[in-house]
Amino acid sequence: MGLRKTTAVVTGAGSGIGRATALLFATAGANVVCADISGAEATAEAIRVVGGIASSIVLDVRRQSDWAQLVEQATGEYGGIDVLASVAGVVAPATDTAVDQDEDGWQRIIDVDLKGVWLGMRAVIPGMLTAGGGRIVNVASMAGLIGLPNLAAYSAAKGGVISLSRQTAIQYAAKNVLVNVIAPGIIETPILGDIPDDMRVTLKSATPLGRMGRPEEIASMIVHLAGAGGSFITGQVFAVDGGWTAQ
Ligand SMILES: NC(=O)c1ccc[n+]([C@@H]2O[C@H](COP(=O)([O-])OP(=O)(O)OC[C@H]3O[C@@H](n4cnc5c(N)ncnc54)[C@H](O)[C@@H]3O)[C@@H](O)[C@H]2O)c1
């Protein structure tokens, strides 16, 4: 219960890593605002039925007005936002190469995966400054660190998240706003889509630990960084990838 009286906003809370993160924040005692374009209320309800504190909001991370509403709602419900975990994201691997990507596809990925992270920080940091500090954890990808096939716009966006987060960490360090990044490897969530069995085998064998990660294994790092254990960590990128980027 290390995060009692802490309010954590989690984007992408309707599925996968975001859902696991919202559930873990609640287990740690936080008030959780579950935000997603779809599915957030089901996660909030799952938290409440086991006695946790949670609310939900329909948020499109690309929309500044949605972020303003989220800040207003969270402030009204819990008095402010202490932690933002920006987990929402999209991929489009079928067409995502420098040649095959089209402008609309490029823009959609940049808007959700990069602009959404910026708008989130832009929305919550003023309140954190007033409150004397806060924690932000942005989810990028190992594709923001290394080159991987069929992830051109996605890599650009995730690399951007890493650079933007480092810069923001430095900008606000003196004000006690700590900003870090998780770069997941292959994690078993709906974002992977219907990948064929042979591709599954390939992805597992390319991971030194020999398996895909579980959403809870990313959530635990996010919640750690938001809690007492993260008090002297800012501007860092944590690859939680079963060893992939150590190769
Ligand atoms: N699963 C992996 O292998 C993996 C690897 C590296 C990075 N990631 C990153 O982890 C994060 C979470 O992905 P996941 O694996 O849980 O996938 P997921 O598809 O299960 O969850 C993504 C969530 O983001 C939400 N979302 C999409 N667009 C949105 C928008 N415009 N506004 C608000 N919410 C929106 C979706 O509704 C969904 O609930 C993403 O940023 C993803 O890029 C995932």
Side-chain angles (χ1 to χ4, degrees):
M1 291 305 223
L3 291 176
R4 202 188 284 276
K5 294 190 179 148
T6 299
T7 298
V9 170
V10 181
T11 74
S15 176
I17 295 168
R19 180 179 163 89
T21 302
L23 295 172
L24 196 59
F25 269 123
T27 303
N31 313 317
V32 186
V33 180
C34 300
D36 203 304
I37 206 163
S38 73
E41 175 53 23
T43 302
E45 180 61 16
I47 290 171
R48 290 192 297 265
V49 295
V50 293
I53 302 168
S55 58
S56 69
I57 186 165
V58 177
L59 169 93
D60 183 335
V61 294
R62 296 167 291 189
R63 291 172 61 97
Q64 193 276 334
S65 56
D66 285 11
W67 279 105
Q69 254 187 317
L70 179 147
V71 171
E72 194 182 321
Q73 179 178 319
T75 305
E77 287 171 337
Y78 306 118
I81 296 168
D82 305 294
V83 177
L84 169 64
S86 271
V87 187
V90 288
V91 287
T95 53
D96 199 12
T97 68
V99 172
D100 296 329
Q101 184 58 273
D102 61 34
E103 285 191 63
D104 288 348
W106 170 274
Q107 199 59 52
R108 174 169 165 268
I109 290 174
I110 297 293
D111 282 351
V112 176
D113 292 354
L114 178 55
K115 183 182 173 192
V117 168
W118 167 55
L119 286 179
M121 295 200 290
R122 186 170 180 254
V124 304
I125 288 174
M128 291 177 173
L129 296 177
T130 304
R135 303 279 177 89
I136 297 172
V137 183
N138 294 321
V139 173
S141 167
M142 65 178 175
L145 294 169
I146 60 170
L148 293 168
N150 305 317
L151 294 171
Y154 185 77
S155 299
K158 295 300 192 177
V161 168
I162 291 170
S163 298
L164 172 65
S165 300
R166 283 197 184 115
Q167 193 284 330
T168 307
I170 296 310
Q171 190 77 44
Y172 297 104
K175 303 287 187 189
N176 197 33
V177 176
L178 280 53
V179 185
N180 291 290
V181 181
I182 312 289
I186 308 294
I187 311 299
E188 185 89 62
T189 76
I191 212 172
L192 297 181
D194 292 328
I195 46 173
D197 284 351
D198 58 335
M199 176 64 94
R200 272 176 187 276
V201 172
T202 305
L203 290 172
K204 285 180 188 173
S205 63
T207 303
L209 288 182
R211 64 174 176 86
M212 294 184 186
R214 297 184 298 274
E216 295 75 18
E217 292 175 308
I218 305 300
S220 65
M221 192 62 163
I222 295 173
V223 173
H224 174 74
L225 289 168
S231 56
F232 200 53
I233 304 172
T234 197
Q236 303 306 309
V237 183
F238 297 90
V240 183
D241 62 3
W244 188 303
T245 56
Q247 298 173 102

